[in-house]
Amino acid sequence: MALKIVKGSIDRMFDKNLQDLVRGIRNHKEDEAKYISTCIDEIKQELKQDNIAVKANAVCKLTYVRSLTFSCNTLFCCTRIGYLAASQCFHESTDVIMLTTNQIRKDLSSPNQYDTGVALTGLSCFVTPDLARDLANDIMTLMSHTKPYIRKKAVLIMYKVFLKYPESLRPAFPRLKEKLEDPDPGVQSAAVNVICELARRNPKNYLSLAPLFFKLMTSSTNNWVLIKIIKLFGALTPLEPRLGKKLIEPLTNLIHSSDSELIVPLSCIAVLISLSSGMPNHSASHVVCVIVKYLGLLAMSKILKTHPKSVQSHKDLILQCLDDKDESIRLRALDLLYGMVSKKNLMEIVKKLMLHVDKAEGTTYRDELLTKIIDICSQSNYQYITNFEWYISILVELTRLEGTRHGHLIASQMLDVAIRVKAIRAFAVAQMATLLDNAHLLTGNTQRNGICEVLYAAAWICGEFSEHLENPLQTLEAMLRPKVATLPGHIQAVYVQNAAKLFATVLRSQEGNTDSTTAQETSQLMIDRLPLFVQSANLEVQERASCILQLVKYIQKLQQKDVEVAEEVSALFAGELNPVAPKAQKKVPVPEGLDLDAWINEPPSESESEDEKPKAIFTKEEPKHSRPRHTEVDEKELARRREARKQEQANNPFYIKASPSSQKVYQETPGVEHIPVVQIDLSVPLKVPGLPMSDQYVKLEEERRQKERAEKKKKEKKKRKEKRSGRGKKHDSGPESEEDITPAHMVDIVTEEMPEVGRSGMNFTEKSSKHKKKKQKKEKEEKEKKKKKKHHHHHHHSDGGGEESVQNGTVEEEEPLPVSLCACVCDIQGNLQDGSQVVVSVIFENKCNSFLKSMEFNVLDSLNSKLQRPEGAGPHDGLTVPFQLPPGVSNEARFVFTVQSIVMPQKLKGTLTFIVKNEDSSTHEKLDFKLHFTCTSYLITTPCYSDAFAKLLESGDLKGSSVRLEGVNMPFHHLLARICFHHHFSVVERIDSCASMYSRSIQGHHVCLLVKTADQTVSIDAKCDEPSLLGNVLDEIKQTFSQC
Amino acid sequence: MIKAILIFNNHGKPRLSKFYEHYSEDTEQQIIRETFHLVSKRDENVCNFLEGGMLIGGSDNKLIYRHYATLYFVFCVDSSESELGILDLIQVFVETLDKCFENVCELDLIFHVDKVHNILAEMVMGGMVLETNMNEIITQVDAQNKMEKSEVRIFDHENSQSPSYI
């Protein structure tokens, strides 16, 4: 047996694989049949072997032989099998495909429609860019085949061809459009299919087909076509709002038309949903109902975006869907709930969701629920939460979920709420203290992002707001338990730091006491427990612990001398943390006399700065750069450089050395795995005594609201009474509205507008609205002032700017200059090395008294010409001008454009944005301009000798054209100089009042001129191998002379 | 676009798989396994749509399936297809199979995979729906089968001396 296997594998080495087979067939052109039959014999032998790989190879070869040989025999059955096999096992990277082109082409043009059909079907599965390119024409002709069966397939496969070979779309599109009105419904449907798929990728281009589809929609009876067209209109309507209005009528007609099958499910929606609750066991209707339910929810989520009110009325129905057995439906319903909450129903909805959290089995669904609950509650800055005690208790309840991955999310919510809602802090601290006390319940899951992340928040909150703690000593004790050492490092670090905060609080509370034993005991506790953390492998834990340990030891010494230390210790952690807005830094005024933009040393020269930049940013990549260039650099040299670089990095304050992350270190420490992980004892009741139940808040909230309402009514009554006594007007208090529900706690909402300063800063979110109003007013006034100033500014400078310079026939048109920048194009030069590049030099001149900076040059690319941007930049990104302009200074920048065709002149639109900086303000300004690429700018002055010139003219490849200029009053040599200068020509020969001139375009077109002058008339005969380029150049010459 | 059409039985044994995008063999098998796993654990009376399924391309895709006796018919489609339309297409597919095989059962699919492929080829081509009219599909399939039969007779006659290749 073993011998057999060995023999098999040796045989395999000599086996033909598919490539060999194909090569062999091609090499045996004369006796192809004979060769194939021997191959088949071999294959038969191979199939009989035990080795599975050999067999697979054999089948593969057989497949190919089948598809190849038998379709030559024009036997349909074999063609069919061959293509089926090919469609199943060929794919784009199968290299045999290259060889099949001719075979497929033969089949496509077969007289048998089914041969063609089978070939098309097969091709649709393995079309490659090469095949698409080679066969696009054949398929195009098939699109107008006499048989609808072929037409239909050919139309459909065109989509695949377009995907692989996009150039074919343009020529094929008219025919495709034609097929929309094909007499055969199958072909029509195929065409609709293809256009729908195309439109999905780029709906804009197919707007013009809307009327045609409109007609189809009203006339077609094919459901499939209708569905597709409706989908297509769905994609088109956002682009063309008018379409939507037009669509309403036919769509409603469609719904009501009796012959359409669509009507059945649609009209059943209402009936079935109501039925489903009454008839639970009717399975047939149930299935349909479930489908409709799902689709309904899907539709509702779309409606929700535009008309939230109309969906909100179905709240109960959607809540019911949460009870559905089907996960797909539940997830959809959850999505909907997010948009439906309001102050009124938040508690109710979340209560429902919490019930589901308890019931849910799968962790994915439960995690989904958890994130949704938090999303719903925290959306738009806790807009809908009226009672934060309730929210905290919800969060605490969520921590009891086993195996969730979202501990981090819960933790960040706890921190956020505790920091921003001041009134809640006492409550939150109490809750967190209980959490810390029961930490053993949470530590079962130490994996990252596990629920133990919550302890991070709990420890921090207890430490930071320790003044609210009832029994700080107990919490301190809980935080210093030896089990804490099993927690992830970053949590331990927070524990240690906050233990110190708690220690300070305990000391302060014991200050007045004559009996100092408690204080001393606390110090002893710290000294006893902290060494555990000092030994931690986590650097941060270690560092903090050893620092604090020494501090406590010192304090203990002082305590023994009866020195009062509490004041000083708590000073360590003095000050309150306030939330900081993301853009708060902006509000910090820049100190007087500090100019952040001014250079503090001599500005480095341009080239230097360019060199330096990549060095600073990509230090690591440097060796890569240098290696290919200096391949001769030896190892020694490299080592020396490496050393130098290390030195440099060490001296560079901005170079961040790679440091192992705290998490990693924790994981790498040996022995951590051996620390026994505490398993949650399942007998432990999930409801921890002392933790609040969120449910009770729902009730409380209800009571509170009722009370409020009652009070309000009382007030209202009072008012009414007063009013009655006064004017006698009636005023009804309507039903409770959204705004009437006053939140129990206020949230500090940090937005961009609100200036916020960090620790020890002032809090601007005062409740008194007076302040705010005043401030707003002030701001407004200031803004207006600024505006006026700006206006003034404009006037002042408008006379200075606005100069255009015309050179080289290229004009940069500028809109009325708003400020003070004058930019002129000094040259547009083709790049001879690269036939598709044009370099534009622009001179920027600052003509005002302000400093101009952050200039960005951007051009709207056309199909033909594109601004070259650095790698990685998007097609609409601007280019930064590499310099700033102090008043009165000018500088030149160059921009490179790539151009495809140079035979036509072009205009590109662009904008230049920059910042004008004055002493007191800085404003953003924008300058629109047009860049005019003349054909002349693609010409390059090239010297030419008269004999070469004569040869060129004789060759007959050039096409001629001529132009006459009247009334040119200038000496002939001036005229020639002008043409040379403005249009990049060189004089080949000059005889009296006659001259021949030559120039070449960047893409190598020859342009020859013969200029004659007589009596103020200049006639120019020109020849060029590109007539349109020549025409444009002549036009430009004519324009140059008409200007003088 | 239809990304893939899968038929497998209640135990997850694939009976037909047609991918309209190329995946490696391993991935294909993994996709079938995952799809079976997702679909089989769902109740009889829940909806026929399923989102997710990580392998076969991200969030845009949906599984639309129907369960007939011992077989699951699963179409994986992207968002350009209408859910109801595909559901209808599955129905047409199964009815066509039923007509062609006369009371189709799982065994028919096992022994005549090529025929099932041929029928499918008349309905879906390269991931796009070609024909939804059952009569049209059957006419074309029948015509092709007839042609094949007439050829096979000649073919067998020609090769009566040598044994057949497969």
Side-chain angles (χ1 to χ4, degrees):
Chain A
M1 183 67 198
L3 196 73
K4 219 175 179 185
I5 294 174
V6 173
K7 189 173 167 280
S9 53
I10 291 174
D11 280 349
R12 259 199 82 199
M13 282 167 56
F14 303 108
D15 279 350
K16 290 194 189 78
N17 64 12
L18 188 52
Q19 247 92 357
D20 298 331
L21 176 77
V22 174
R23 219 168 283 144
I25 292 175
R26 287 166 70 82
N27 286 339
H28 291 76
K29 285 250 160 63
E30 278 87 56
D31 50 348
E32 202 177 88
K34 201 177 155 201
Y35 181 76
I36 288 171
S37 66
T38 50
C39 283
I40 286 174
D41 284 338
E42 277 172 28
I43 291 169
K44 272 193 268 178
Q45 288 301 319
E46 280 167 24
L47 280 174
K48 281 179 197 151
Q49 286 188 20
D50 290 335
N51 194 325
I52 198 81
V54 176
K55 273 189 189 173
N57 189 26
V59 171
C60 201
K61 282 196 279 185
L62 199 61
T63 307
Y64 179 72
V65 174
R66 282 234 146 194
S67 75
L68 186 81
T69 56
F70 295 122
S71 54
C72 301
N73 290 349
T74 64
L75 277 178
F76 172 68
C77 63
C78 304
T79 321
R80 196 178 185 185
I81 293 170
Y83 274 107
L84 176 58
S87 73
Q88 285 294 83
C89 53
F90 284 7
H91 55 87
E92 231 175 270
S93 45
T94 317
D95 25 10
V96 194
I97 288 188
M98 288 186 303
L99 309 169
T100 55
T101 315
N102 278 326
Q103 186 58 51
I104 295 172
R105 183 172 283 149
K106 209 192 275 174
D107 287 334
L108 284 183
S109 53
S110 154
N112 182 344
Q113 63 162 331
Y114 291 115
D115 273 339
T116 317
V118 159
L120 283 172
T121 311
L123 186 60
S124 75
C125 291
F126 54 78
V127 61
T128 63
D130 287 338
L131 277 180
R133 192 192 55 231
D134 296 341
L135 296 173
N137 249 332
D138 302 65
I139 299 171
M140 280 262 279
T141 40
L142 287 181
M143 276 168 81
S144 18
H145 199 269
T146 46
K147 296 252 172 47
Y149 178 74
I150 301 295
R151 281 211 303 271
K152 159 171 100 175
K153 288 196 165 189
V155 168
L156 212 52
I157 204 177
M158 272 325 262
Y159 176 64
K160 289 272 172 174
V161 174
F162 295 152
L163 282 187
K164 300 289 178 197
Y165 180 57
E167 286 97 292
S168 60
L169 178 57
R170 202 166 284 274
F173 194 72
R175 199 169 282 183
L176 188 63
K177 204 169 138 188
E178 205 174 274
K179 292 297 152 214
L180 280 177
E181 292 170 300
D182 198 276
D184 184 78
V187 181
Q188 222 178 52
S189 142
V192 169
N193 247 335
V194 171
I195 290 183
C196 284
E197 286 290 342
L198 288 173
R200 214 166 72 91
R201 286 167 183 262
N202 190 359
K204 226 188 242 163
N205 294 355
Y206 301 90
L207 263 180
S208 60
L209 290 179
L212 200 58
F213 278 116
F214 202 76
K215 211 174 90 191
L216 266 180
M217 188 169 74
T218 42
S219 63
S220 173
T221 52
N222 184 339
N223 271 335
W224 186 259
V225 172
L226 281 178
I227 289 172
K228 279 281 168 188
I229 294 179
I230 291 167
K231 276 241 164 194
L232 176 70
F233 275 127
L236 291 182
T237 35
L239 297 170
E240 177 61 64
R242 278 174 299 171
L243 204 58
K245 274 185 208 156
K246 264 195 163 180
L247 277 176
I248 292 172
E249 203 204 315
L251 277 182
T252 38
N253 275 346
L254 212 59
I255 291 171
H256 290 298
S257 69
S258 49
D259 60 333
S260 168
E261 271 178 53
L262 283 173
I263 180 80
V264 185
L266 280 175
S267 64
C268 287
I269 297 176
V271 187
L272 278 171
I273 285 188
S274 60
L275 271 180
S276 67
S277 49
M279 297 163 63
N281 288 329
H282 198 284
S283 67
S285 73
H286 193 85
V287 169
V288 179
C289 163
V290 176
I291 293 168
V292 173
K293 217 181 201 172
Y294 176 83
L295 294 176
L297 288 172
L298 205 62
M300 268 195 195
S301 64
K302 278 173 194 152
I303 298 173
L304 187 69
K305 281 178 202 145
T306 47
H307 304 285
K309 279 269 159 59
S310 57
V311 178
Q312 267 167 18
S313 56
H314 299 289
K315 188 193 80 194
D316 291 333
L317 208 66
I318 292 166
L319 278 176
Q320 264 180 29
C321 288
L322 280 180
D323 294 322
D324 205 285
K325 273 179 288 184
D326 189 349
E327 199 173 313
S328 297
I329 289 184
R330 287 198 305 246
L331 284 175
R332 283 265 144 256
L334 264 183
D335 271 353
L336 274 176
L337 276 180
Y338 178 79
M340 283 184 6
V341 286
S342 64
K343 278 182 185 170
K344 248 192 279 182
N345 61 19
L346 176 76
M347 282 188 168
E348 186 194 339
I349 288 179
V350 172
K351 188 183 156 192
K352 265 246 167 186
L353 290 178
M354 290 300 285
L355 279 178
H356 284 285
V357 171
D358 286 341
K359 277 192 284 179
E361 302 111 16
T363 39
T364 24
Y365 179 60
R366 208 165 53 179
D367 277 356
E368 182 70 21
L369 270 171
L370 193 152
T371 41
K372 266 283 150 11
I373 289 176
I374 288 177
D375 273 358
I376 286 173
C377 291
S378 62
Q379 66 175 310
S380 38
N381 274 319
Y382 310 100
Q383 189 190 348
Y384 300 118
I385 295 184
T386 50
N387 186 335
F388 278 93
E389 285 189 18
W390 165 80
Y391 186 46
I392 289 277
S393 46
I394 285 282
L395 288 175
V396 171
E397 266 177 55
L398 285 176
T399 61
R400 271 176 251 145
L401 282 185
E402 249 178 271
T404 178
R405 290 178 293 112
H406 295 295
H408 191 72
L409 192 63
I410 301 176
S412 68
Q413 282 290 304
M414 284 174 169
L415 286 174
D416 201 31
V417 171
I419 295 170
R420 284 165 67 171
V421 189
K422 280 184 186 154
I424 197 72
R425 281 178 192 167
F427 178 80
V429 165
Q431 290 299 310
M432 295 304 127
T434 346
L435 258 187
L436 284 178
D437 232 8
N438 296 298
H440 57 279
L441 290 180
L442 305 173
T443 45
N445 183 357
T446 36
Q447 86 197 62
R448 198 165 161 69
N449 271 338
I451 201 68
C452 61
E453 287 291 324
V454 172
L455 294 174
Y456 177 96
W460 189 86
I461 291 171
C462 282
E464 185 64 26
F465 308 118
S466 51
E467 70 269 18
H468 298 293
L469 269 178
E470 257 178 48
N471 192 348
L473 193 55
Q474 189 193 337
T475 313
L476 179 61
E477 204 273 323
M479 272 162 79
L480 292 173
R481 279 180 203 151
K483 256 181 204 166
V484 172
T486 59
L487 290 173
H490 64 287
I491 299 180
Q492 284 186 55
V494 169
Y495 263 65
V496 171
Q497 188 72 17
N498 286 289
K501 288 184 198 167
L502 281 175
F503 176 61
T505 319
V506 173
L507 285 189
R508 205 172 40 198
S509 66
Q510 297 297 327
E511 192 74 321
N513 269 0
T514 45
D515 177 24
S516 62
T517 44
T518 327
Q520 281 182 7
E521 269 170 20
T522 319
S523 307
Q524 194 53 48
L525 177 76
M526 292 285 280
I527 289 168
D528 287 346
R529 298 282 176 84
L530 276 175
L532 176 69
F533 297 101
V534 176
Q535 291 158 10
S536 168
N538 188 306
L539 281 180
E540 191 165 359
V541 178
Q542 201 184 59
E543 192 182 356
R544 288 189 190 188
S546 54
C547 182
I548 287 164
L549 182 63
Q550 289 312 313
L551 189 71
V552 177
K553 278 182 182 164
Y554 180 65
I555 290 166
Q556 200 183 29
K557 256 186 228 165
L558 290 178
Q559 276 176 335
Q560 280 156 1
K561 290 179 197 160
D562 274 340
V563 183
E564 301 224 321
V565 286
E567 194 75 19
E568 276 134 36
V569 176
S570 41
L572 280 176
F573 309 107
E576 193 187 352
L577 269 186
N578 277 320
V580 181
K583 292 187 179 173
Q585 181 70 39
K586 265 191 188 168
K587 305 285 177 185
V588 180
V590 180
E592 242 175 83
L594 174 66
D595 185 359
L596 290 174
D597 298 312
W599 287 97
I600 52 172
N601 53 344
E602 277 296 300
S605 70
E606 238 177 80
S607 57
E608 243 178 301
S609 69
E610 266 176 16
D611 278 352
E612 240 164 56
K613 256 186 198 165
K615 219 190 250 174
I617 301 170
F618 306 113
T619 336
K620 278 195 173 166
E621 279 181 11
E622 214 184 16
K624 268 190 205 161
H625 279 299
S626 55
R627 237 171 246 162
R629 262 183 254 150
H630 317 278
T631 36
E632 73 281 6
V633 178
D634 58 0
E635 267 310 325
K636 247 187 200 171
E637 171 71 6
L638 268 179
R640 194 187 59 75
R641 283 189 193 172
R642 220 172 274 144
E643 201 46 51
R645 199 174 64 245
K646 262 185 200 159
Q647 201 65 37
E648 194 184 304
Q649 282 170 2
N651 292 332
N652 186 353
F654 300 111
Y655 183 78
I656 301 167
K657 287 178 205 85
S659 66
S661 74
S662 53
Q663 189 64 27
K664 240 187 185 167
V665 169
Y666 174 71
Q667 282 167 349
E668 279 163 11
T669 54
V672 169
E673 286 83 8
H674 306 304
I675 296 171
V677 175
V678 182
Q679 285 290 325
I680 293 189
D681 186 2
L682 281 179
S683 63
V684 175
L686 273 178
K687 277 172 196 157
V688 182
L691 292 183
M693 290 303 296
S694 58
D695 289 357
Q696 74 197 50
Y697 284 100
V698 181
K699 268 183 213 159
L700 278 175
E701 177 71 13
E702 207 45 51
E703 277 169 27
R704 189 179 69 86
R705 278 187 202 168
Q706 245 160 13
K707 231 189 249 172
E708 257 174 27
R709 233 173 288 163
E711 263 172 43
K712 218 180 249 168
K713 265 185 193 162
K714 258 188 215 164
K715 270 186 199 165
E716 213 120 322
K717 262 183 197 167
K718 255 190 202 168
K719 265 189 203 165
R720 234 179 283 168
K721 267 182 198 165
E722 280 165 22
K723 272 179 189 169
R724 260 181 213 157
S725 58
R727 290 175 208 163
K729 248 188 189 172
K730 263 195 180 177
H731 189 271
D732 266 346
S733 67
E736 190 182 32
S737 73
E738 270 286 286
E739 284 72 30
D740 292 340
I741 306 173
T742 50
H745 312 283
M746 293 295 288
V747 201
D748 283 353
I749 298 172
V750 186
T751 57
E752 291 166 21
E753 277 78 37
M754 262 182 257
E756 287 283 327
V757 186
R759 213 179 243 275
S760 83
M762 301 177 290
N763 195 350
F764 282 92
T765 45
E766 275 134 354
K767 279 174 198 164
S768 63
S769 52
K770 262 188 193 170
H771 269 274
K772 257 189 201 166
K773 268 186 189 162
K774 253 190 192 169
K775 227 172 72 196
Q776 277 171 358
K777 227 183 180 181
K778 233 185 177 176
E779 271 177 10
K780 237 188 202 170
E781 275 170 15
E782 262 179 24
K783 263 187 198 166
E784 267 166 17
K785 261 188 208 165
K786 263 191 200 163
K787 261 189 200 164
K788 271 181 199 164
K789 257 190 209 163
K790 239 197 255 167
H791 217 69
H792 193 67
H793 190 77
H794 285 194
H795 273 284
H796 187 69
H797 289 292
S798 55
D799 45 2
E803 277 183 27
E804 291 174 359
S805 89
V806 184
Q807 255 184 18
N808 253 349
T810 50
V811 187
E812 177 157 333
E813 293 174 21
E814 288 171 0
E815 303 275 298
L817 272 176
V819 198
S820 40
L821 181 74
C822 169
C824 57
V825 175
C826 67
D827 195 9
I828 297 186
Q829 268 280 2
N831 187 346
L832 199 59
Q833 270 81 47
D834 188 341
S836 59
Q837 272 191 359
V838 177
V839 180
V840 179
S841 317
V842 185
I843 293 177
F844 297 93
E845 187 176 359
N846 184 356
K847 293 201 167 179
C848 70
N849 310 331
S850 319
F851 197 86
L852 303 185
K853 57 166 199 169
S854 303
M855 287 187 277
E856 259 201 307
F857 180 89
N858 199 3
V859 168
L860 209 62
D861 287 346
S862 71
L863 271 180
N864 192 26
S865 26
K866 294 181 170 64
L867 178 60
Q868 268 199 358
R869 297 173 164 91
E871 259 185 40
H876 306 294
D877 294 350
L879 276 183
T880 317
V881 180
F883 48 79
Q884 304 182 332
L885 286 181
V889 173
S890 66
N891 204 342
E892 181 189 332
R894 287 168 170 242
F895 302 97
V896 181
F897 287 79
T898 43
V899 188
Q900 275 177 355
S901 157
I902 59 158
V903 298
M904 298 282 274
Q906 268 205 82
K907 272 184 189 162
L908 290 182
K909 275 187 189 171
T911 47
L912 185 75
T913 53
F914 53 95
I915 295 176
V916 181
K917 188 153 168 46
N918 278 342
E919 292 96 1
D920 47 353
S921 70
S922 65
T923 46
H924 262 282
E925 299 287 350
K926 201 178 101 180
L927 204 61
D928 291 316
F929 60 84
K930 276 182 193 158
L931 212 52
H932 195 165
F933 284 67
T934 54
C935 279
T936 314
S937 51
Y938 301 127
L939 296 184
I940 289 179
T941 320
T942 326
C944 186
Y945 296 108
S946 50
D947 44 354
F949 188 77
K951 232 177 226 172
L952 200 64
L953 286 180
E954 276 166 21
S955 69
D957 293 333
L958 309 183
K959 293 174 186 74
S961 174
S962 65
V963 70
R964 278 175 84 83
L965 308 168
E966 306 269 2
V968 180
N969 195 5
M970 62 170 74
F972 189 55
H973 67 273
H974 277 194
L975 184 131
L976 290 183
R978 234 192 158 90
I979 295 177
C980 286
F981 178 68
H982 286 300
H983 299 287
H984 309 172
F985 277 88
S986 62
V987 179
V988 181
E989 224 172 356
R990 186 187 158 190
I991 305 156
D992 296 329
S993 59
C994 185
S996 53
M997 305 177 90
Y998 174 76
S999 182
R1000 243 182 91 181
S1001 79
I1002 51 171
Q1003 292 182 353
H1005 305 292
H1006 304 280
V1007 188
C1008 307
L1009 300 184
L1010 187 65
V1011 187
K1012 287 181 202 160
T1013 178
D1015 298 327
Q1016 297 195 357
T1017 336
V1018 180
S1019 71
I1020 302 177
D1021 289 314
K1023 285 195 166 179
C1024 173
D1025 37 7
E1026 179 59 58
S1028 53
L1029 175 70
L1030 182 63
N1032 288 316
V1033 170
L1034 287 182
D1035 282 350
E1036 280 159 27
I1037 294 177
K1038 208 170 172 182
Q1039 210 177 9
T1040 320
F1041 285 96
S1042 69
Q1043 275 164 0
C1044 59
Chain B
M1 278 272 283
I2 299 171
K3 298 284 160 87
I5 295 172
L6 308 173
I7 303 176
F8 41 74
N9 70 3
N10 287 346
H11 307 292
K13 278 253 181 309
R15 292 303 176 210
L16 175 125
S17 68
K18 181 90 200 165
F19 289 86
Y20 293 103
E21 265 169 21
H22 175 66
Y23 297 96
S24 74
E25 239 166 275
D26 289 343
T27 334
E28 282 184 4
Q29 282 179 10
Q30 229 171 323
I31 289 171
I32 296 174
R33 251 195 313 264
E34 189 199 49
T35 315
F36 170 70
H37 187 71
L38 283 173
V39 168
S40 62
K41 69 175 183 197
R42 289 170 64 82
D43 259 2
E44 264 315 281
N45 45 9
V46 297
C47 75
N48 305 43
F49 316 114
L50 198 64
E51 278 155 80
M54 301 309 287
L55 281 171
I56 200 154
S59 57
D60 195 34
N61 289 358
K62 258 182 203 167
L63 297 176
I64 295 169
Y65 73 95
R66 274 188 115 136
H67 189 196
Y68 294 92
T70 62
L71 291 174
Y72 283 99
F73 288 72
V74 185
F75 280 46
C76 181
V77 301
D78 67 11
S79 63
S80 73
E81 300 293 344
S82 144
E83 288 90 350
L84 280 179
I86 294 293
L87 220 48
D88 196 45
L89 191 71
I90 299 180
Q91 183 67 26
V92 172
F93 184 33
V94 174
E95 277 179 36
T96 316
L97 288 177
D98 200 47
K99 279 255 170 76
C100 292
F101 289 113
E102 284 164 18
N103 276 331
V104 67
C105 69
E106 198 183 332
L107 278 178
D108 291 317
L109 267 69
I110 298 172
F111 285 107
H112 303 286
V113 176
D114 54 334
K115 283 187 183 158
V116 181
H117 268 294
N118 291 337
I119 293 168
L120 195 60
E122 292 305 316
M123 293 179 66
V124 181
M125 195 174 111
M128 301 213 286
V129 178
L130 180 69
E131 185 60 68
T132 50
N133 184 343
M134 186 166 61
N135 293 332
E136 175 72 18
I137 296 167
I138 291 176
T139 328
Q140 303 296 355
V141 171
D142 280 349
Q144 290 178 50
N145 288 343
K146 213 179 269 170
M147 207 161 85
E148 209 172 69
K149 256 181 209 157
S150 64
E151 277 173 356
V152 167
R153 241 172 275 138
I154 311 166
F155 185 65
D156 282 346
H157 182 70
E158 271 180 8
N159 293 286
S160 51
Q161 258 70 39
S162 64
S164 85
Y165 295 129
I166 292 181

